[in-house]
Amino acid sequence: EDLRGVLWRERASVNIPKTVTKAMTRLTKEGNAEKGWKLFEMAKRVGVLPNSYMYTAAVNALSKCNRWAEGLNLFKIAQNEGVHLSPIAYGVALGCMEKGAQWNTALLTIQGLEEDVNSVHYLSGMRAALRGHRPDVAIELFEQLREKSLAAESPLPYLLAVQALGRMKKGKIAEKITKRALTLFPNPDSSTAHSGPNRHVSDIRTFRRNLVNAAIVALGEGKRWESALRLLSSVPNLGINPDEGTFLAAAQACKEGGKGGSECAVELLDLADQYNIELGSKLMGAVLATDLDLTQSLELLEAVTARGVTVTSRAKNHLLNKCKAESNWQKALYLYRKFRDPSPYLYTSVCR
């Protein structure tokens, strides 16, 4: 009530919108976006006229509250009122479109910005397209970004482009873009590393690893598991330390490996051993969830258990489902004896 009174008395002051904006921004940064939005509503009720900054802070608060539709509606109200909205305001609005997967609206908004568009706008547009299951639109925005020479400002558009190409099953192009991005954004200790503020990310090494992971997945989606393994093998030469995620990305490539899936998985286990990464159980579960036939799956089982890897319940279920699909009760009985499972119900259901 005291705050409402202050706003009412000072509503005509030119400093009030600035003060309200600062308070809203602080509340949102502190995780109290809902309170920031309520402050905006209160200010409007007592007659404070919002300016561009105040509208921007309000749309941002709604976005942080996951009320993206209301944020977009408020942005349209500001436009209809003739408020001059800055590129930052458009960036916040595009963030709402991203959360709502409103790729079509984002595309039109970016086109309307013309010379005021920046890489942040394109990033939100690409994310909106990916959330809206339109990887082709994400690639279209990425190409526009490159045409405007904005792609080198941040490594993130390259990561989104590689993810989009993976969904489009264009692994070869994804690999090419990955190599280009790794050249543009080398490790910080490299003599060719960029030092400009617009080219900084909090952890460039993490980005480079995530980019390679995405490229490996993209190659797998395009059924190019041999290329995925070659890229994985070249990781040390690129100055990247692979982690469990890198190998599980390669396991996804094995999922699409078809006849070579078992061979791919065994090679992955050899590579993982070189890097002292324990992933046998997870890798096996990932590969067995594929279209490998029962014979290939059992070959993989023998290769994995020979290394002392524990077979998870999920992996057992995948194997038994393959037995059931082929009506092979003999193999189900073999698995029961191999695992000495105290709960034989799943095995007997196959034998029936």
Side-chain angles (χ1 to χ4, degrees):
E1 292 300 324
D2 290 340
L3 179 58
R4 185 180 287 107
V6 171
L7 290 172
W8 171 257
R9 288 193 301 273
E10 303 294 331
R11 65 188 183 281
S13 170
V14 293
N15 292 322
I16 279 295
K18 182 178 180 181
T19 303
V20 172
T21 299
K22 284 185 176 180
M24 291 169 60
T25 302
R26 188 184 73 249
L27 287 167
T28 301
K29 285 183 177 179
E30 292 174 352
N32 294 313
E34 190 68 41
K35 289 183 178 179
W37 165 243
K38 287 180 179 178
L39 177 57
F40 176 85
E41 287 185 306
M42 183 189 299
K44 279 207 76 175
R45 278 198 300 268
V46 300
V48 175
L49 294 176
N51 58 15
S52 173
Y53 302 106
M54 195 167 157
Y55 270 117
T56 301
V59 173
N60 186 46
L62 286 169
S63 177
K64 298 296 183 183
C65 295
N66 290 319
R67 294 163 63 179
W68 61 268
E70 293 174 72
L72 285 180
N73 185 57
L74 183 63
F75 184 75
K76 290 176 184 176
I77 289 173
Q79 287 179 312
N80 293 337
E81 290 180 356
V83 177
H84 178 71
L85 297 166
S86 67
I88 294 175
Y90 277 92
V92 172
L94 280 161
C96 290
M97 298 171 203
E98 173 191 332
K99 289 190 173 182
Q102 303 295 299
W103 61 268
N104 196 25
T105 307
L107 188 61
L108 293 172
T109 301
I110 289 170
Q111 290 171 349
L113 280 168
E114 297 179 350
E115 297 304 318
D116 290 328
V117 71
N118 59 43
S119 59
V120 174
H121 299 145
Y122 278 110
L123 274 172
S124 290
M126 291 177 71
R127 290 191 182 108
L130 288 173
R131 289 192 177 193
H133 308 289
R134 289 298 303 271
D136 56 316
V137 174
I139 294 302
E140 180 184 340
L141 288 168
F142 178 69
E143 292 302 332
Q144 292 178 21
L145 187 72
R146 292 210 290 187
E147 287 173 8
K148 292 181 179 292
S149 301
L150 295 172
E153 289 186 1
S154 168
L156 298 180
Y158 287 90
L159 177 59
L160 296 178
V162 169
Q163 291 171 346
L165 289 165
R167 296 185 190 184
M168 297 168 70
K169 303 188 185 304
K170 295 184 177 181
K172 190 172 182 179
I173 301 174
E175 185 179 16
K176 183 178 179 181
I177 288 177
T178 297
K179 290 178 179 178
R180 173 63 176 159
L182 292 175
T183 302
L184 279 172
F185 303 98
N187 284 324
D189 54 356
S190 170
S191 60
T192 57
H194 296 303
S195 59
N198 292 330
R199 293 173 180 176
H200 172 74
V201 289
S202 58
D203 189 344
I204 195 71
R205 290 185 178 85
T206 299
F207 157 75
R208 286 166 60 84
R209 184 169 57 232
N210 290 343
L211 182 66
V212 168
N213 292 357
I216 289 172
V217 171
L219 287 165
E221 293 287 347
K223 299 187 182 300
R224 300 173 63 88
W225 65 270
E226 298 96 334
S227 297
L229 281 181
R230 279 198 297 272
L231 180 57
L232 176 62
S233 300
S234 69
V235 161
N237 296 330
L238 297 172
I240 296 170
N241 294 322
D243 61 1
E244 183 181 276
T246 311
F247 281 91
L248 292 178
Q252 283 191 252
C254 287
K255 283 185 178 184
E256 303 295 337
K259 190 173 181 179
S262 178
E263 178 187 345
C264 171
V266 172
E267 190 168 342
L268 268 180
L269 287 170
D270 290 336
L271 286 170
D273 286 345
Q274 293 178 26
Y275 295 107
N276 297 316
I277 294 175
E278 295 290 337
L279 80 159
S281 298
K282 290 183 179 180
L283 174 62
M284 184 175 181
V287 176
L288 287 176
T290 70
D291 293 332
L292 290 181
D293 62 29
L294 180 57
T295 301
Q296 293 169 331
S297 298
L298 290 174
E299 288 173 358
L300 176 60
L301 172 68
E302 296 301 331
V304 172
T305 53
R307 298 166 182 265
V309 174
T310 302
V311 180
T312 63
S313 297
R314 184 179 180 184
K316 292 177 186 177
N317 286 338
H318 286 313
L319 286 166
L320 287 171
N321 285 335
K322 292 176 188 292
C323 290
K324 194 170 186 177
E326 297 185 16
S327 301
N328 196 325
W329 63 267
Q330 295 95 334
K331 295 298 183 184
L333 183 60
Y334 163 76
L335 290 172
Y336 174 65
R337 289 170 174 166
K338 181 177 181 64
F339 296 134
R340 301 181 183 276
D341 202 318
S343 176
Y345 171 74
L346 292 173
Y347 302 88
T348 55
S349 67
V350 176
C351 293
R352 288 198 192 102

